[in-house]
Amino acid sequence: MKEEYLKKQARWLSEGQIGRRQFIRAAIAAGLAVPSALTLATDVLAATPKKGGKIRMGSSYGSTTDALDAGTSENGMTQAIVYARGNHLTEVNNDGTLIPELASGFEPSNGAKTWAFDLRQGVEFHNGKTMTADDVIATFNYHRDENSKSAAKGLLSAIKEIKKDGDNRVIFELDGGNADFPYIVSDYHIMIMPSVDGAISDPNSPVGTGGYIVESYEPGVRIQMKRNPNYFKEGRAHFDEVEMITLSDTTARQNAIMNGDVDFIDNVDPKTVTLLGRVPTLDILKTTGTQHYTFPMRVNSAPFDNYDLRMALKYAIKRQELVDKILLGNGEPGNDVPVNASMPFFNTELPVHEFDAEKAAFHYKKSGHSGAIQLSVSDAAFPGAVDAAQLVAASAKEAGIDIELVREPSDGYWSNVWNKKPWCACYWGGRPTQDWMYSAAYTSDTEWNDTAWKTGESAEKFNELVVMARSETDQATRKEQYWEAQKLLQDDGGAIVGMWASFIHAHGKGLAHDDAVAANWQSDGNKVAERWWFA
């Protein structure tokens, strides 16, 4: 009874129906000592979202080649901008569950080949236009167009037809069953845009339905936004203003948070966590999810078109050393698949790719290669990427493999190096399902297949298995399909998944958030602007 009484009093305090003093009296009457009552009142008020203030966020990402087109978003900065100014049919909530967003609900039929999404009514774009089914259809068709360069094109390749059933209901017909389709439509590239005459006229328009309205944008520098007074979500988007600043230099980002020039930073270098943790005005936030650091080898470029050369490099890396020295223990070794134990149908019987100088030397000799192998790298790829590449080169040297590091500029790295140079450093935030991860980065129809592993018997079989598993309803069969897909990818694919890394952030103690913090992306699912507030 006392617990229920205190919960009711706490709710009234958070809603402003009673004052702090009245709450403390009630807590004391319920048997709490004065210090405990004071602490409880402070905790309740701190956990109550408040409107107002300007949050300044320092991001390790951002490039002068960035654009507002969500379809071309390729780093954490542009993703955070998408989530601040726009919305999607569904979203992964801060507790990790999938919930409707611009949709009010969704349901499958015909063996999950047909998906119907009911839309929220009365949602407005920043220009005052009411969102309808026409906007949803036009958005998806923009990404699906045969000439589209959207990173979501491959994700949506299974869609045969999209039609509307009135202004507030959209029906997707797929070429096969897909139980994970509601996850796919939450992909950050597929931000619903306003249509004109049934088409998207300007994908770089800042107009969205999100909690914040873009006021100014300098790609690779900063973006300024103000709160949308007509936002449809209750209890979200609390700040009056949001400023996101690109601080790709690790030291500059660290100094900015320590000096109070920003309120929040992502990608804290593990080497400085202890230092930042001593600053009395700061809190350190760590979340563990599906983020992994990779060294993709493009199999359509020499020398990585050689199976034995790829296998030699997979055995030439001391993965635990990367975790110990680069992540300082904040992660675990990778095994050359973008899947870990947190995901369904993880293959627990894969061979372990760990440093083995003899095996590496055997495969390297068999490859027939000689001379230095170039590895393009920049700390823009992930914190400590250059140091990680140096460790890779040192361990490969022990197996008789010479790796030449090419230091690339941070600005433009994601446009000029990643997905273009034969071998480079990369990071992936990961995806909550295998189908989504594969469709984003490994199947033959995605723009983001950064290993170019698309042809050949193993790659073709892998693509077949992904399609089969997508629509398979028998869980035992689906497990077999995903296990085989992982085995093919690990053995023949071009991905070196070196380590799984925790997300590490630092923020001022004045910032508050819900108890649950999302780990599907960094920065609370890259939704700090929407979910956090000043206490």
Side-chain angles (χ1 to χ4, degrees):
M1 291 294 292
K2 288 183 179 180
E3 183 178 349
E4 290 301 317
Y5 172 74
L6 277 175
K7 284 183 178 178
K8 182 173 69 174
Q9 296 292 321
R11 186 178 71 252
W12 286 350
L13 175 64
S14 67
E15 294 172 351
Q17 297 185 42
I18 63 175
R20 187 169 181 269
R21 183 173 298 177
Q22 190 174 348
F23 174 81
I24 292 172
R25 288 199 193 111
I28 293 172
L32 286 183
V34 173
S36 297
L38 288 168
T39 300
L40 182 58
T42 301
D43 290 345
V44 169
L45 289 172
T48 304
K50 298 178 180 62
K51 300 292 184 185
K54 176 181 179 178
I55 185 172
R56 302 157 301 167
M57 302 174 62
S59 175
S60 57
Y61 304 105
S63 170
T64 54
T65 57
D66 290 343
L68 287 176
D69 180 358
T72 64
S73 174
E74 59 186 12
N75 60 58
M77 176 72 151
T78 51
Q79 182 185 2
I81 292 172
V82 167
Y83 283 145
R85 68 183 183 90
N87 302 101
H88 304 68
L89 289 182
T90 61
E91 70 168 318
V92 176
N93 201 13
N94 55 315
D95 62 4
T97 59
L98 186 76
I99 61 173
E101 191 174 31
L102 287 175
S104 59
F106 46 86
E107 59 182 358
S109 59
N110 190 27
K113 289 183 179 180
T114 303
W115 283 92
F117 288 78
D118 293 312
L119 305 181
R120 295 187 187 275
Q121 299 185 34
V123 175
E124 288 186 359
F125 288 99
H126 298 154
N127 60 5
K129 181 185 186 299
T130 299
M131 183 200 69
T132 69
D134 291 330
D135 302 306
V136 174
I137 293 172
T139 295
F140 276 82
N141 284 340
Y142 165 73
H143 295 284
R144 295 170 63 224
D145 186 87
E146 62 180 0
N147 297 317
S148 172
K149 297 299 182 184
S150 168
K153 185 177 180 179
L155 292 175
L156 306 179
S157 61
I159 297 176
K160 291 173 55 180
E161 181 185 7
I162 313 175
K163 56 189 177 183
K164 68 177 184 178
D165 181 11
D167 284 342
N168 299 297
R169 186 174 172 86
V170 178
I171 299 172
F172 295 86
E173 299 288 351
L174 311 181
D175 60 12
N178 188 346
D180 294 335
F181 188 69
Y183 276 98
I184 295 298
V185 300
S186 76
D187 184 84
Y188 61 94
H189 300 98
I190 316 172
M191 184 194 88
I192 303 304
M193 298 178 280
S195 62
V196 178
D197 297 328
I200 301 302
S201 60
D202 182 11
N204 280 297
S205 166
V207 175
T209 57
Y212 297 94
I213 300 169
V214 176
E215 292 194 296
S216 64
Y217 180 41
E218 300 174 72
V221 181
R222 72 184 66 237
I223 189 167
Q224 302 266 11
M225 293 176 277
K226 65 179 181 180
R227 189 176 189 278
N228 175 10
N230 298 320
Y231 195 36
F232 69 92
K233 286 189 184 181
E234 291 290 334
R236 293 299 190 193
H238 306 290
F239 304 108
D240 289 335
E241 297 177 80
V242 173
E243 181 180 21
M244 299 180 187
I245 307 165
T246 293
L247 296 170
S248 55
D249 181 77
T250 302
T251 302
R253 198 162 60 252
Q254 172 187 306
N255 289 340
I257 192 70
M258 292 178 67
N259 296 335
D261 296 326
V262 295
D263 307 295
F264 180 99
I265 62 170
D266 60 21
N267 273 344
V268 171
D269 190 324
K271 294 191 290 291
T272 65
V273 169
T274 302
L275 171 65
L276 292 180
R278 296 195 193 106
V279 179
T281 58
L282 299 180
D283 280 333
I284 301 297
L285 172 67
K286 296 182 184 180
T287 55
T288 301
T290 55
Q291 176 176 234
H292 49 285
Y293 296 158
T294 70
F295 295 94
M297 302 174 286
R298 295 186 67 78
V299 302
N300 62 351
S301 300
F304 307 105
D305 54 351
N306 184 297
Y307 168 85
D308 284 291
L309 188 283
R310 298 196 298 273
M311 190 58 69
L313 291 173
K314 290 175 183 179
Y315 280 119
I317 297 174
K318 297 181 180 179
R319 298 156 193 262
Q320 187 61 53
E321 182 181 50
L322 292 177
V323 173
D324 294 341
K325 294 183 178 179
I326 303 302
L327 303 181
L328 298 185
N330 293 288
E332 59 186 36
N335 198 30
D336 300 336
V337 288
V339 185
N340 65 9
S342 71
M343 299 171 68
F345 309 112
F346 172 62
N347 188 340
T348 58
E349 297 179 1
L350 286 175
V352 178
H353 285 176
E354 56 188 2
F355 179 74
D356 189 318
E358 289 186 8
K359 285 184 179 180
F362 169 79
H363 283 287
Y364 185 64
K365 182 179 180 180
K366 192 175 178 182
S367 76
H369 184 272
S370 61
I373 303 171
Q374 289 192 336
L375 170 57
S376 294
V377 67
S378 164
D379 280 339
F382 57 84
V386 174
D387 290 341
Q390 291 172 340
L391 291 175
V392 168
S395 62
K397 196 75 172 177
E398 294 181 36
I401 303 172
D402 184 18
I403 295 176
E404 177 188 348
L405 302 186
V406 180
R407 293 288 295 268
E408 304 281 3
S410 293
D411 186 44
Y413 183 84
W414 297 106
S415 300
N416 303 323
V417 179
W418 174 75
N419 220 5
K420 290 183 173 61
K421 295 293 181 72
W423 193 23
C424 72
C426 176
Y427 89 100
W428 282 94
R431 303 294 189 273
T433 68
Q434 288 200 48
D435 182 68
W436 191 359
M437 187 68 239
Y438 297 148
S439 298
Y442 291 91
T443 54
S444 59
D445 54 2
T446 176
E447 292 284 329
W448 279 11
N449 188 328
D450 59 9
T451 62
W453 187 59
K454 301 180 180 183
T455 60
E457 184 178 346
S458 293
E460 290 167 6
K461 181 62 175 177
F462 169 83
N463 278 270
E464 290 174 8
L465 286 165
V466 170
V467 172
M468 291 165 60
R470 182 179 295 154
S471 57
E472 180 58 62
T473 56
D474 182 81
Q475 297 303 295
T477 303
R478 201 178 195 205
K479 174 186 174 181
E480 290 177 3
Q481 292 164 344
Y482 276 134
W483 276 42
E484 186 178 355
Q486 290 167 70
K487 187 175 181 180
L488 291 168
L489 180 60
Q490 186 205 38
D491 178 66
D492 190 57
I496 294 177
V497 180
M499 47 187 160
W500 294 83
S502 301
F503 296 117
I504 310 176
H505 322 79
H507 64 85
K509 290 185 180 294
L511 278 175
H513 53 79
D514 293 333
D515 290 339
V517 176
N520 58 314
W521 299 106
Q522 66 206 356
S523 307
D524 198 358
N526 264 326
K527 292 198 172 187
V528 166
E530 171 159 311
R531 295 172 177 164
W532 291 35
W533 63 90
F534 283 119

